[in-house]
Each structure stands twice: as C-alpha cells, then as structure tokens.
Amino acid sequence: MTKTQLKYEIRRLAREKNAIIMAHYYVDGAVQDIADFIGDSLALAQKAAKTDADIIVLCGVHFMGETAAILCPDKRVLVPDTAATCSLAESCPADEFKAFVEAHPGHTVVSYVNTTAATKAVTDVVVTSSNARQIVESLPADAKIIFGPDHNLGSYISDITGREMLLWNGACHVHARFSVEKILELKAQHPQAKVLVHPECKGPVVKLADKVGSTAALLKYAIADQATEFIVATESGILHEMQKAAPAKTFIPAPPEVAMDESGNARSCACNECEYMKMVTLEKIYACLRDEQPVVTVEPEVAAKAIRPIERMLEISAKLGL
Ligand code: 13P
Ligand code: SF4
C-alpha cells in the first residue's frame, strides 16, 4: 500500500470500528496527522477517561496504553507496538519502588505518569509534567513526600514548590542528554531565540529556559509568545505540531550531548528522538486496527490499585481547571 492508501485505510477502519486514534506529540508527524486527538500525557489520560469510542488506539508508549486500559476497562485498548516502552518507566521497577516506599513509612507517594501500572499500584497520587506542581502544592504543608521516578522533574518541582521530597533516581534517556554547551552555542547563533525546556531535562539545562513546561505547555507558549525563534529542548516530535501551529516561526531542535570514545568517535546516539515513540508507524497502526491486536491488558488486582492514584490526579486536575 502507498502511504496515501494506508492513511485512507486507517481512517476507514477507525470509522467502521468506532475507534479513536490518540497520539502523543512525540510520535512521528505522519502518525500525528492521522490521529483524532493529539496531546501530552495528561490530555491523553483525560481524553481516554471521557471517550465513548469502542476501541482506543494509543499511539505512544506502553504506559500510556496501560493508563487508558485502567481507566477504560470496558474498552479495547490497542497499542501499535508493545515493545514501545519507556526508559524512565523502566528505571523504576515496581518491586524496588515498593521496597523504597516501605522503607519510608508515613510518606505520600507521588509518581510521574511515566511508570508501569505495577508502580502506580504502590502510589498515592499520579502526576504528569502538566500538573505536578499544582498536585504537590495541593498536599498538606507537612506531608512527607516521595517522588518518583524522574529525578530531574522531582528536583525541579521541589525547587519551585519549596517542598522537600525523597527522590527516586530515575531518568528519561532522551531528556537527560541535552547539553548546556550546545544550547549556549545555539543561543549565540540565535540571540533572539527563546529557550523551551521540558522539566525532564537536567537542572543546568532547565536553568537556561525562558519557559519550562510539559509538551502541551511548551506548544502553547510557542504559539502565544512574540518571539519568532525558539530553541526546543525536548523530544523533537513536538516540532511537527509547533511548526504546523505557527508556520511563520522557526523552531530549532536542541542537540544532545554526544559521548565520544577514546578515538573520538561518537559513542551515544546524537539525536533527540525517543526511539520508543518512533516505533509507532502507520503500517503498525493499520495492522493493529485491522486485527484488533495487540490489546493492552493489566492484571485486575494491579488495575484495581493503580486506578486510585490516576483518578485522584484527574479529580485534582479537574478541580484546578487543568
Ligand atoms: P508530557 O507528555 O507530560 O509532556 O511528558 C513527556 C514525556 O516524556 C512523555 O513520555
Ligand atoms: Fe519515556 Fe523519555 Fe521516551 Fe518520554 S521521551 S517515552 S520519558 S523514554
């Protein structure tokens, strides 16, 4: 099939089967273009909770499919590739996190949505980068807090809220590799450019930002701000929507640090793409809609525990108008 036929068939199947195709901003632009809904992690969870579709095709990584499956036990939740996981979610194995929580009794456990269902099951409240600040601020002033798994996001939230938190030492390999030096070099070449940074980046990178925020917040800022040039320090998939929403503006992807070996050859990936997000292709979406496979399943006992902190997040967000 040509790309045009593929897109046509995907849309036809989605209509026929009353399926909604939801995509995160980090997936390939062609996938974003055929989606019914594009959003950041919070918006995807909110949309999944509300949809009346029979099938949800979650074009993102596995934990996003799990969250939708937990919120919609009566729907068929499909992911185009079950191998599309997340380095951050994997940096927090549920059994180790549970042991950490048990070793620190009396703490409120705040977990970033980038976690497996099993990790959410030992959590009190889930957050995303869109609502972490407000949710942490909504906790009693004397609450002792554990925050996991993203250490960079946790440090940032701790700094801006003034709340002390016990941090899990996890990271997203894509955001952790942005480099201060490379951004400063770009800034020297584009002195008028505003710097947009996702809070999963390291502290020194966050300090360079004109705007720190979730993918949706960075997009909103880029559209509304007077500046015409932006240096973007997050996964490069977001540039697709930024460029579509503000075609007259220039978006420059911040390059990551490149580790060199002894001979001066690049050792680590020199790109700012999440290889997991990029596993979602039109071909896989077509096959998954056609076959209604693979279905995301979450063990009922795990889902029964994991739904509470997810719903708590959605309730607080709704109350705060987020
Ligand atoms: P947001 O969708 O909250 O911006 O988080 C980005 C991310 O890393 C998703 O995996
Ligand atoms: Fe996970 Fe990072 Fe990829 Fe987001 S960008 S899905 S946090 S590995």
Side-chain angles (χ1 to χ4, degrees):
M1 261 193 267
T2 64
K3 213 147 233 176
T4 311
Q5 285 168 328
L6 207 48
K7 289 181 188 171
Y8 177 83
E9 284 303 310
I10 290 171
R11 292 308 324 163
R12 183 184 64 75
L13 284 171
R15 250 189 333 271
E16 246 176 54
K17 299 188 178 209
N18 189 29
I20 182 170
I21 303 176
M22 309 205 315
H24 190 272
Y25 290 120
Y26 291 165
V27 295
D28 193 67
V31 172
Q32 294 186 42
D33 288 344
I34 54 95
D36 295 291
F37 182 81
I38 322 169
D40 67 356
S41 308
L42 176 62
L44 291 173
Q46 288 170 325
K47 185 76 181 172
K50 281 197 295 229
T51 184
D52 54 13
D54 296 314
I55 295 177
I56 297 174
V57 182
L58 209 310
C59 300
V61 290
H62 196 258
F63 75 80
M64 295 175 174
E66 276 189 338
T67 304
I70 292 166
L71 286 167
C72 312
D74 55 331
K75 299 189 194 306
R76 222 173 154 79
V77 177
L78 309 173
V79 287
D81 191 332
T82 51
T85 57
C86 164
S87 58
L88 179 52
E90 286 182 359
S91 68
C92 190
D95 52 345
E96 291 175 29
F97 191 62
K98 186 167 182 277
F100 181 68
V101 168
E102 284 169 358
H104 300 93
H107 285 69
T108 301
V109 183
V110 180
S111 289
Y112 196 31
V113 71
N114 296 43
T115 41
T116 61
T119 297
K120 289 185 179 79
V122 289
T123 292
D124 294 308
V125 61
V126 168
V127 298
T128 77
S129 53
S130 277
N131 58 21
R133 176 193 193 141
Q134 294 86 341
I135 290 183
V136 166
E137 282 172 344
S138 78
L139 299 175
D142 60 350
K144 295 198 275 179
I145 301 171
I146 286 178
F147 188 100
D150 192 61
H151 197 277
N152 292 332
L153 177 67
S155 306
Y156 171 69
I157 298 297
S158 177
D159 281 353
I160 59 174
T161 60
R163 305 294 289 266
E164 247 183 64
M165 306 195 294
L166 275 180
L167 303 179
W168 183 261
N169 195 18
C172 156
H173 72 298
V174 180
H175 287 91
R177 67 188 174 211
F178 285 107
S179 125
V180 168
E181 291 70 29
K182 302 262 178 181
I183 294 173
L184 290 177
E185 275 169 31
L186 273 179
K187 195 65 189 152
Q189 290 159 22
H190 304 270
Q192 304 305 325
K194 293 272 182 82
V195 180
L196 309 180
V197 177
H198 196 282
E200 286 173 27
C201 295
K202 287 181 276 194
V205 172
V206 169
K207 284 208 173 71
L208 301 176
D210 293 290
K211 172 72 184 171
V212 183
S214 72
T215 44
L218 298 182
L219 176 63
K220 197 168 156 204
Y221 181 90
I223 296 168
D225 194 75
Q226 299 294 311
T228 55
E229 281 187 309
F230 299 88
I231 295 166
V232 185
T234 188
E235 209 274 355
S236 58
I238 186 68
L239 270 74
H240 181 73
E241 190 56 26
M242 284 178 171
Q243 206 64 76
K244 259 172 93 174
K249 298 187 178 184
T250 304
F251 298 99
I252 307 157
E257 210 157 48
V258 182
M260 299 292 181
D261 64 19
E262 308 74 50
S263 328
N265 298 316
R267 199 170 46 192
S268 67
C269 161
C271 76
N272 46 17
E273 289 189 351
C274 171
E275 60 271 44
Y276 305 114
M277 289 282 187
K278 299 306 190 252
M279 288 167 85
V280 180
T281 62
L282 292 177
E283 287 78 5
K284 290 179 196 169
I285 297 170
Y286 169 70
C288 116
L289 260 172
R290 182 196 58 203
D291 305 338
E292 298 187 22
Q293 297 279 1
V295 177
V296 181
T297 52
V298 179
E299 301 249 332
E301 318 81 76
V302 174
K305 289 183 186 152
I307 195 163
R308 289 191 292 236
I310 301 173
E311 284 187 334
R312 188 166 168 198
M313 167 185 82
L314 294 177
E315 280 159 23
I316 299 173
S317 300
K319 217 181 277 170
L320 297 173
L322 300 168

PDB file of all heavy atoms in Angstrom, residues 1-10 30 34 282-283 286:
ATOM      1  N   MET A   1       0.832  -1.209   0.000  1.00  0.00           N
ATOM      2  CA  MET A   1       0.000   0.000   0.000  1.00  0.00           C
ATOM      3  C   MET A   1       0.869   1.263   0.000  1.00  0.00           C
ATOM      4  O   MET A   1       1.889   1.304   0.695  1.00  0.00           O
ATOM      5  CB  MET A   1      -0.860   0.020   1.274  1.00  0.00           C
ATOM      6  CG  MET A   1      -2.279  -0.469   1.055  1.00  0.00           C
ATOM      7  SD  MET A   1      -3.349  -0.071   2.450  1.00  0.00           S
ATOM      8  CE  MET A   1      -3.228  -1.561   3.423  1.00  0.00           C
ATOM      9  N   THR A   2       0.432   2.263  -0.730  1.00  0.00           N
ATOM     10  CA  THR A   2       1.150   3.542  -0.667  1.00  0.00           C
ATOM     11  C   THR A   2       0.784   4.211   0.652  1.00  0.00           C
ATOM     12  O   THR A   2      -0.178   3.821   1.323  1.00  0.00           O
ATOM     13  CB  THR A   2       0.707   4.478  -1.804  1.00  0.00           C
ATOM     14  OG1 THR A   2      -0.680   4.792  -1.605  1.00  0.00           O
ATOM     15  CG2 THR A   2       0.912   3.846  -3.173  1.00  0.00           C
ATOM     16  N   LYS A   3       1.514   5.261   0.994  1.00  0.00           N
ATOM     17  CA  LYS A   3       1.246   5.986   2.242  1.00  0.00           C
ATOM     18  C   LYS A   3      -0.180   6.567   2.234  1.00  0.00           C
ATOM     19  O   LYS A   3      -0.894   6.530   3.240  1.00  0.00           O
ATOM     20  CB  LYS A   3       2.268   7.110   2.404  1.00  0.00           C
ATOM     21  CG  LYS A   3       2.587   7.329   3.837  1.00  0.00           C
ATOM     22  CD  LYS A   3       3.992   7.752   4.104  1.00  0.00           C
ATOM     23  CE  LYS A   3       4.556   6.794   5.133  1.00  0.00           C
ATOM     24  NZ  LYS A   3       5.847   6.890   5.518  1.00  0.00           N
ATOM     25  N   THR A   4      -0.594   7.059   1.080  1.00  0.00           N
ATOM     26  CA  THR A   4      -1.929   7.654   0.977  1.00  0.00           C
ATOM     27  C   THR A   4      -2.996   6.585   1.211  1.00  0.00           C
ATOM     28  O   THR A   4      -3.973   6.812   1.938  1.00  0.00           O
ATOM     29  CB  THR A   4      -2.111   8.288  -0.421  1.00  0.00           C
ATOM     30  OG1 THR A   4      -0.973   9.096  -0.685  1.00  0.00           O
ATOM     31  CG2 THR A   4      -3.372   9.107  -0.538  1.00  0.00           C
ATOM     32  N   GLN A   5      -2.802   5.401   0.601  1.00  0.00           N
ATOM     33  CA  GLN A   5      -3.776   4.299   0.800  1.00  0.00           C
ATOM     34  C   GLN A   5      -3.814   3.882   2.270  1.00  0.00           C
ATOM     35  O   GLN A   5      -4.871   3.633   2.835  1.00  0.00           O
ATOM     36  CB  GLN A   5      -3.396   3.104  -0.067  1.00  0.00           C
ATOM     37  CG  GLN A   5      -3.716   3.298  -1.538  1.00  0.00           C
ATOM     38  CD  GLN A   5      -3.060   2.204  -2.388  1.00  0.00           C
ATOM     39  OE1 GLN A   5      -1.980   1.696  -2.065  1.00  0.00           O
ATOM     40  NE2 GLN A   5      -3.708   1.842  -3.485  1.00  0.00           N
ATOM     41  N   LEU A   6      -2.619   3.812   2.841  1.00  0.00           N
ATOM     42  CA  LEU A   6      -2.505   3.407   4.241  1.00  0.00           C
ATOM     43  C   LEU A   6      -3.288   4.357   5.147  1.00  0.00           C
ATOM     44  O   LEU A   6      -4.066   3.935   6.014  1.00  0.00           O
ATOM     45  CB  LEU A   6      -1.017   3.434   4.608  1.00  0.00           C
ATOM     46  CG  LEU A   6      -0.473   2.534   5.696  1.00  0.00           C
ATOM     47  CD1 LEU A   6      -0.936   1.102   5.534  1.00  0.00           C
ATOM     48  CD2 LEU A   6       1.053   2.585   5.671  1.00  0.00           C
ATOM     49  N   LYS A   7      -3.116   5.651   4.906  1.00  0.00           N
ATOM     50  CA  LYS A   7      -3.829   6.650   5.732  1.00  0.00           C
ATOM     51  C   LYS A   7      -5.330   6.521   5.517  1.00  0.00           C
ATOM     52  O   LYS A   7      -6.116   6.578   6.467  1.00  0.00           O
ATOM     53  CB  LYS A   7      -3.384   8.065   5.348  1.00  0.00           C
ATOM     54  CG  LYS A   7      -1.979   8.406   5.777  1.00  0.00           C
ATOM     55  CD  LYS A   7      -1.667   9.830   5.367  1.00  0.00           C
ATOM     56  CE  LYS A   7      -0.210  10.164   5.592  1.00  0.00           C
ATOM     57  NZ  LYS A   7       0.168  11.440   5.029  1.00  0.00           N
ATOM     58  N   TYR A   8      -5.723   6.312   4.280  1.00  0.00           N
ATOM     59  CA  TYR A   8      -7.146   6.177   3.950  1.00  0.00           C
ATOM     60  C   TYR A   8      -7.730   4.952   4.671  1.00  0.00           C
ATOM     61  O   TYR A   8      -8.796   5.012   5.281  1.00  0.00           O
ATOM     62  CB  TYR A   8      -7.304   6.051   2.429  1.00  0.00           C
ATOM     63  CG  TYR A   8      -8.741   5.843   2.013  1.00  0.00           C
ATOM     64  CD1 TYR A   8      -9.612   6.924   1.868  1.00  0.00           C
ATOM     65  CD2 TYR A   8      -9.239   4.543   1.808  1.00  0.00           C
ATOM     66  CE1 TYR A   8     -10.943   6.726   1.518  1.00  0.00           C
ATOM     67  CE2 TYR A   8     -10.570   4.331   1.472  1.00  0.00           C
ATOM     68  CZ  TYR A   8     -11.417   5.426   1.327  1.00  0.00           C
ATOM     69  OH  TYR A   8     -12.731   5.227   0.994  1.00  0.00           O
ATOM     70  N   GLU A   9      -7.006   3.836   4.602  1.00  0.00           N
ATOM     71  CA  GLU A   9      -7.484   2.578   5.222  1.00  0.00           C
ATOM     72  C   GLU A   9      -7.551   2.706   6.740  1.00  0.00           C
ATOM     73  O   GLU A   9      -8.471   2.179   7.376  1.00  0.00           O
ATOM     74  CB  GLU A   9      -6.563   1.418   4.837  1.00  0.00           C
ATOM     75  CG  GLU A   9      -6.771   0.915   3.409  1.00  0.00           C
ATOM     76  CD  GLU A   9      -8.215   0.469   3.156  1.00  0.00           C
ATOM     77  OE1 GLU A   9      -8.745  -0.306   3.967  1.00  0.00           O
ATOM     78  OE2 GLU A   9      -8.808   0.924   2.160  1.00  0.00           O
ATOM     79  N   ILE A  10      -6.587   3.397   7.323  1.00  0.00           N
ATOM     80  CA  ILE A  10      -6.606   3.596   8.787  1.00  0.00           C
ATOM     81  C   ILE A  10      -7.855   4.373   9.172  1.00  0.00           C
ATOM     82  O   ILE A  10      -8.595   4.002  10.088  1.00  0.00           O
ATOM     83  CB  ILE A  10      -5.324   4.332   9.261  1.00  0.00           C
ATOM     84  CG1 ILE A  10      -4.107   3.407   9.137  1.00  0.00           C
ATOM     85  CG2 ILE A  10      -5.480   4.826  10.700  1.00  0.00           C
ATOM     86  CD1 ILE A  10      -2.770   4.078   9.375  1.00  0.00           C
ATOM     87  N   ALA A  30       3.704  11.911  10.677  1.00  0.00           N
ATOM     88  CA  ALA A  30       2.678  11.257   9.841  1.00  0.00           C
ATOM     89  C   ALA A  30       1.632  10.575  10.719  1.00  0.00           C
ATOM     90  O   ALA A  30       0.450  10.522  10.369  1.00  0.00           O
ATOM     91  CB  ALA A  30       3.333  10.240   8.914  1.00  0.00           C
ATOM     92  N   ILE A  34      -2.712  11.564  11.279  1.00  0.00           N
ATOM     93  CA  ILE A  34      -3.911  10.730  11.083  1.00  0.00           C
ATOM     94  C   ILE A  34      -4.693  10.538  12.393  1.00  0.00           C
ATOM     95  O   ILE A  34      -5.734   9.888  12.410  1.00  0.00           O
ATOM     96  CB  ILE A  34      -3.604   9.327  10.456  1.00  0.00           C
ATOM     97  CG1 ILE A  34      -2.547   8.572  11.244  1.00  0.00           C
ATOM     98  CG2 ILE A  34      -3.234   9.446   8.990  1.00  0.00           C
ATOM     99  CD1 ILE A  34      -3.090   7.635  12.227  1.00  0.00           C
ATOM    100  N   LEU A 282       2.671   4.075  10.667  1.00  0.00           N
ATOM    101  CA  LEU A 282       1.356   3.937  10.013  1.00  0.00           C
ATOM    102  C   LEU A 282       1.064   2.468   9.735  1.00  0.00           C
ATOM    103  O   LEU A 282      -0.072   2.001   9.908  1.00  0.00           O
ATOM    104  CB  LEU A 282       1.332   4.726   8.704  1.00  0.00           C
ATOM    105  CG  LEU A 282       1.386   6.255   8.823  1.00  0.00           C
ATOM    106  CD1 LEU A 282       1.426   6.896   7.443  1.00  0.00           C
ATOM    107  CD2 LEU A 282       0.196   6.786   9.627  1.00  0.00           C
ATOM    108  N   GLU A 283       2.080   1.722   9.293  1.00  0.00           N
ATOM    109  CA  GLU A 283       1.886   0.298   8.965  1.00  0.00           C
ATOM    110  C   GLU A 283       1.392  -0.459  10.202  1.00  0.00           C
ATOM    111  O   GLU A 283       0.467  -1.274  10.122  1.00  0.00           O
ATOM    112  CB  GLU A 283       3.211  -0.333   8.479  1.00  0.00           C
ATOM    113  CG  GLU A 283       3.646   0.084   7.087  1.00  0.00           C
ATOM    114  CD  GLU A 283       4.290   1.474   7.030  1.00  0.00           C
ATOM    115  OE1 GLU A 283       4.495   2.095   8.093  1.00  0.00           O
ATOM    116  OE2 GLU A 283       4.569   1.941   5.913  1.00  0.00           O
ATOM    117  N   TYR A 286      -2.201   0.471  11.103  1.00  0.00           N
ATOM    118  CA  TYR A 286      -3.145  -0.196  10.197  1.00  0.00           C
ATOM    119  C   TYR A 286      -3.353  -1.651  10.633  1.00  0.00           C
ATOM    120  O   TYR A 286      -4.491  -2.114  10.795  1.00  0.00           O
ATOM    121  CB  TYR A 286      -2.621  -0.120   8.751  1.00  0.00           C
ATOM    122  CG  TYR A 286      -3.389  -1.004   7.813  1.00  0.00           C
ATOM    123  CD1 TYR A 286      -4.713  -0.695   7.473  1.00  0.00           C
ATOM    124  CD2 TYR A 286      -2.832  -2.187   7.308  1.00  0.00           C
ATOM    125  CE1 TYR A 286      -5.448  -1.531   6.649  1.00  0.00           C
ATOM    126  CE2 TYR A 286      -3.555  -3.019   6.490  1.00  0.00           C
ATOM    127  CZ  TYR A 286      -4.865  -2.684   6.166  1.00  0.00           C
ATOM    128  OH  TYR A 286      -5.594  -3.523   5.359  1.00  0.00           O
TER     129      TYR A 286
END
